[in-house]
Amino acid sequence: MSDDKAKKTIEDKLTTIKYNCDSESHLVIDRELCKNCESRCCTYICPAKVYTYDENQNIINVDYENCLECGACRIACPYGAINWNYPKAGYGVVFKQS
Amino acid sequence: MEENKSQKFDAIIVGAGPAGVAAAVTIARGGARVLLVERSEFAGTKNMIGGAVFLTALKDIFPNSWEQAPIERYINKHTWSLLTDNSSVDVACDFPCSPKSASIYRSKFDSWLVDEAKKEGVYFAPSTLVKRLIKKNGYFCGVETELEEIFADVIILADGVNSLLARQHGLRYDYETKDTVLSVKETIKLSKEIIEERFNIEKGTKNGAARNFLGGLKLENAPFALGFMYTYTDSVSIGLGVNLEDLNRYGLNPSDLLERLKEHPNVKPLIQDGEMLEYSAHLIPEGGFKKLPKLCANGVILVGDAAGFINAIHFEGTNFAFASGKYAGETVLAALKIKDYSKKTLKLYEKKLKQSFVLKDLKSYKDIMENLYSRTESLMNYYPKKASEFFKIFTGANCKPKRDEFRNFIVHFIKDRSLRELLKDAWAFISSVFGVLK
Ligand SMILES: Cc1cc2nc3c(=O)[nH]c(=O)nc-3n(C[C@H](O)[C@H](O)[C@H](O)COP(=O)(O)OP(=O)(O)OC[C@H]3O[C@@H](n4cnc5c(N)ncnc54)[C@H](O)[C@@H]3O)c2cc1C
Ligand code: SF4
Ligand code: SF4
């Protein structure tokens, strides 16, 4: 079986995508609101694992560079803590075979 | 922006997907000055489809040139599979001589659409993100991009499922998670020959196949999810659309769920040895008729995904996008003629939608997704399992009297699920069918 070609983790999958990365984040979260959040659903529903929880500092980190611009986190966040915008024109994800 | 001297147009279309292009060419064909604005550098590179574009709707917009569209394969073979953990019960149909849809890559297809629109006089502005709409005296009359303000008599919002603009300006409420499907997809490279073999496609033809999968995720608390596959010339897509509320509720990640589908014994052989070319994700608005936005207001019209025009049961979206774009375009031409861009005049758009399949279908399908969603557990686990058990008896030659086997099957069919639940399933089914036909 040649599983070598199959990509299974999100990290692997993201390597197949082309991005034009901006130096500024198009996703801005209100970390104060996150402090009350029990589910932290952004950390698991995101197809690109953009959000991770830093237990030590009790904050959410945002790897906006990996964002696929789907919009799911914006709708799913129970506190409306994500100020969700498109990246600037010409920046962000570039799907070529989707 | 090309050849654009004055910054005033008759119409501005935001978003160069199927809906935006259909609207733009319709207006240009009527002789008006129209600007099509797109945030990506190359049209289609922000977009994803399962997926296949529907040809009747495409031909209606481009009757003379549709055959030149960058079509990968004609999807004329469809198979729906009920999956258990390790089996599949399928229903299939095959019309090799009458293609109704075709697989496409959005980057190529949307760029082609835009090129066709440009040939017909549409001004196109790529790499242009509309940040806000301009409203004066109660009328929408322009767009604010990152660089400038551009004015027009009418604005058409064809900006897709997230339509930040419609939300900003109170034309639409946010979707709830239960009305939203998050899809993830992988494009997987396979040779032409392997694709023809695995999907039983005649060699050397442009024929192709689509597969849909229900169940098979090996989860007791399975989310409401539908798997899909489409064949391309020398690749296949495989993806999964999952209800966002369920992802939330069960703490699931869509990519992990897709891995489960890919590992299923009936799915795995289809993609074996393939190399992943691209991973992608996109939302599908499934609120339908009950969640329709304001379809127009003074100086503005909503089309396609921005208006939530999707029939999830039949995987239809591009046809709604093309048709609604065209009706919006026709409405704008009528408004330009009498120089009246009020909501009252633009309501012609709603009238056209009501007379067409767009609102007729959305209306008759208005309860189906809710009905199915309320029966998630039976759809994702119970019925696939029972279908599999039935066919194991039917085909198994188990050296047991068939009478006993079938009787036992029926007893368990009722026992394994309370009568109350079975009646609820039946009711959901009947009311769905009745809803469509009444
Ligand atoms: C997984 C999946 C499978 C699907 N399968 C099928 C299928 O098999 N058949 C089918 O018919 N349909 C299918 N669909 C649905 C179909 O893709 C959509 O209904 C269709 O693309 C909608 O077209 P649209 O023009 O309304 O929006 P879109 O195609 O989303 O286009 C919107 C455009 O607007 C641009 N934009 C957004 N905001 C701005 C802004 N502020 N400024 C400038 N530009 C902006 C975007 O970059 C984008 O190019 C599927 C969808 C998904 C997610
Ligand atoms: S779901 Fe929203 S509120 Fe909760 S942690 Fe994530 S961003 Fe913060
Ligand atoms: S838009 Fe989609 S990909 Fe981007 S952070 Fe949100 S959920 Fe993740």
Side-chain angles (χ1 to χ4, degrees):
Chain A
M1 208 181 62
S2 57
D3 267 353
D4 42 316
K5 285 195 220 160
K7 297 198 190 310
K8 292 184 184 293
T9 66
I10 288 182
E11 291 74 16
D12 279 346
K13 294 182 188 190
L14 294 178
T15 62
T16 64
I17 303 171
K18 181 176 182 277
Y19 292 96
N20 270 338
C21 281
D22 193 357
S23 54
E24 238 178 295
S25 176
H26 61 288
L27 308 166
V28 181
I29 58 167
D30 184 335
R31 285 187 167 149
E32 279 309 305
L33 290 174
C34 295
K35 283 186 179 148
N36 306 318
C37 184
E38 281 151 23
S39 76
R40 290 193 284 269
C41 64
C42 60
T43 60
Y44 53 82
I45 59 124
C46 171
K49 282 233 157 69
V50 164
Y51 304 94
T52 45
Y53 177 56
D54 180 336
E55 226 166 298
N56 293 333
Q57 300 188 57
N58 187 26
I59 54 166
I60 299 282
N61 288 320
V62 187
D63 293 332
Y64 69 91
E65 299 91 341
N66 292 334
C67 176
L68 304 172
E69 299 164 35
C70 69
C73 56
R74 190 182 59 77
I75 296 175
C77 170
Y79 291 95
I82 303 172
N83 182 358
W84 195 96
N85 281 297
Y86 295 117
K88 289 182 203 119
Y91 286 98
V93 74
V94 184
F95 291 131
K96 294 185 162 178
Q97 299 175 94
S98 291
Chain B
M1 201 180 309
E2 297 151 20
E3 311 167 42
N4 156 34
K5 290 177 198 86
S6 95
Q7 292 291 47
K8 164 85 198 325
F9 288 83
D10 293 324
I12 296 173
I13 324 286
V14 185
V21 169
V25 286
T26 306
I27 296 170
R29 282 170 191 166
R33 245 169 80 81
V34 53
L35 176 69
L36 177 63
V37 178
E38 168 59 46
R39 71 186 179 98
S40 63
E41 192 180 349
F42 301 100
T45 54
K46 295 290 182 187
N47 304 337
M48 179 261 250
I49 191 165
V53 60
F54 287 102
L55 298 175
T56 308
L58 173 63
K59 287 179 202 174
D60 191 41
I61 306 297
F62 294 109
N64 302 321
S65 60
W66 74 273
E67 276 171 302
Q68 275 117 52
I71 280 166
E72 292 278 319
R73 281 182 188 272
Y74 293 110
I75 302 301
N76 32 34
K77 187 198 292 278
H78 297 263
T79 308
W80 293 267
S81 303
L82 287 177
L83 302 179
T84 66
D85 289 355
N86 50 21
S87 73
S88 170
V89 174
D90 303 348
V91 178
C93 66
D94 191 356
F95 309 100
C97 304
S98 53
K100 289 286 186 186
S101 65
S103 53
I104 51 159
Y105 289 123
R106 293 297 302 267
S107 59
K108 289 185 188 164
F109 183 75
D110 291 19
S111 289
W112 177 83
L113 289 177
V114 166
D115 286 345
E116 290 301 297
K118 287 200 309 203
K119 282 185 207 160
E120 302 203 39
V122 170
Y123 294 93
F124 179 57
S127 290
T128 305
L129 175 70
V130 174
K131 306 278 283 181
R132 258 172 295 279
L133 300 183
I134 302 167
K135 197 173 180 182
K136 281 185 185 158
N137 306 323
Y139 279 72
F140 291 97
C141 60
V143 301
E144 194 185 313
T145 74
E146 288 163 302
L147 303 173
E148 60 191 333
E149 291 185 338
I150 315 172
F151 292 90
D153 293 322
V154 190
I155 315 297
I156 295 180
L157 294 184
D159 52 344
V161 55
N162 283 304
S163 192
L164 296 185
L165 296 169
R167 284 175 231 283
Q168 254 172 30
H169 296 281
L171 298 166
R172 172 171 147 182
Y173 293 113
D174 232 335
Y175 280 116
E176 294 170 58
T177 48
K178 74 174 171 58
D179 300 322
T180 309
V181 162
L182 171 55
S183 311
V184 285
K185 168 180 137 168
E186 294 171 14
T187 305
I188 296 180
K189 190 172 173 55
L190 288 171
S191 74
K192 265 194 194 103
E193 294 71 31
I194 288 187
I195 291 171
E196 287 164 352
E197 204 178 293
R198 289 185 190 173
F199 294 88
N200 195 19
I201 295 165
E202 192 184 339
K203 269 201 181 112
T205 62
K206 260 196 139 185
N207 286 345
R211 304 279 316 243
N212 289 129
F213 305 104
L214 196 66
L217 298 177
K218 287 198 181 169
L219 285 169
E220 210 164 291
N221 284 320
F224 191 63
L226 195 63
F228 58 84
M229 265 189 99
Y230 288 82
T231 56
Y232 286 64
T233 308
D234 48 13
S235 67
V236 296
S237 68
I238 180 160
L240 191 70
V242 197
N243 183 279
L244 191 53
E245 183 174 72
D246 282 355
L247 283 178
N248 243 344
R249 178 187 305 154
Y250 300 128
L252 298 167
N253 176 268
S255 167
D256 295 345
L257 291 172
L258 180 56
E259 287 311 307
R260 285 172 177 267
L261 181 67
K262 284 164 62 190
E263 282 299 319
H264 190 278
N266 291 90
V267 178
K268 196 171 177 175
L270 297 171
I271 52 172
Q272 203 148 18
D273 297 331
E275 180 192 352
M276 192 191 302
L277 297 174
E278 193 164 84
Y279 173 64
S280 55
H282 204 86
L283 291 184
I284 306 178
E286 296 196 350
F289 193 76
K290 291 179 179 171
K291 299 290 161 76
L292 283 182
K294 289 179 189 162
L295 296 171
C296 60
N298 292 335
V300 71
I301 296 179
L302 271 63
V303 294
D305 272 16
F309 294 155
I310 287 276
N311 185 336
I313 297 290
H314 301 277
F315 274 63
E316 291 178 23
T318 56
N319 52 339
F320 285 95
F322 281 126
S324 60
K326 179 178 154 181
Y327 296 136
E330 290 169 356
T331 302
V332 168
L333 288 174
L336 286 166
K337 216 175 213 170
I338 56 169
K339 294 194 164 33
D340 177 354
Y341 315 105
S342 64
K343 182 176 171 182
K344 202 167 149 233
T345 301
L346 299 185
K347 280 251 176 198
L348 174 63
Y349 170 59
E350 273 186 49
K351 197 172 154 203
K352 284 172 183 279
L353 291 174
K354 275 187 192 147
Q355 286 165 351
S356 77
F357 73 94
V358 177
L359 281 187
K360 282 189 176 157
D361 277 2
L362 284 179
K363 194 172 176 194
S364 53
Y365 278 70
K366 71 183 186 333
D367 297 319
I368 290 197
M369 287 322 282
E370 239 168 33
N371 278 339
L372 294 182
Y373 187 45
S374 72
R375 311 314 300 155
T376 297
E377 146 53 26
S378 53
L379 283 170
M380 299 302 297
N381 284 329
Y382 184 71
Y383 289 108
K385 193 168 136 228
K386 288 299 161 194
S388 157
E389 284 173 7
F390 176 85
F391 282 101
K392 269 186 191 152
I393 299 172
F394 201 90
T395 60
N398 300 319
C399 297
K400 286 182 193 154
K402 289 279 183 293
R403 181 170 172 268
D404 295 355
E405 283 197 295
F406 281 126
R407 279 193 167 189
N408 194 29
F409 172 80
I410 291 166
V411 168
H412 277 282
F413 190 90
I414 298 165
K415 262 195 180 166
D416 291 358
R417 195 159 171 77
S418 71
L419 198 59
R420 193 161 155 255
E421 290 300 311
L422 284 176
L423 286 174
K424 277 188 182 172
D425 291 345
W427 174 247
F429 178 74
I430 291 166
S431 70
S432 297
V433 174
F434 188 69
V436 176
L437 298 179
K438 84 176 170 200

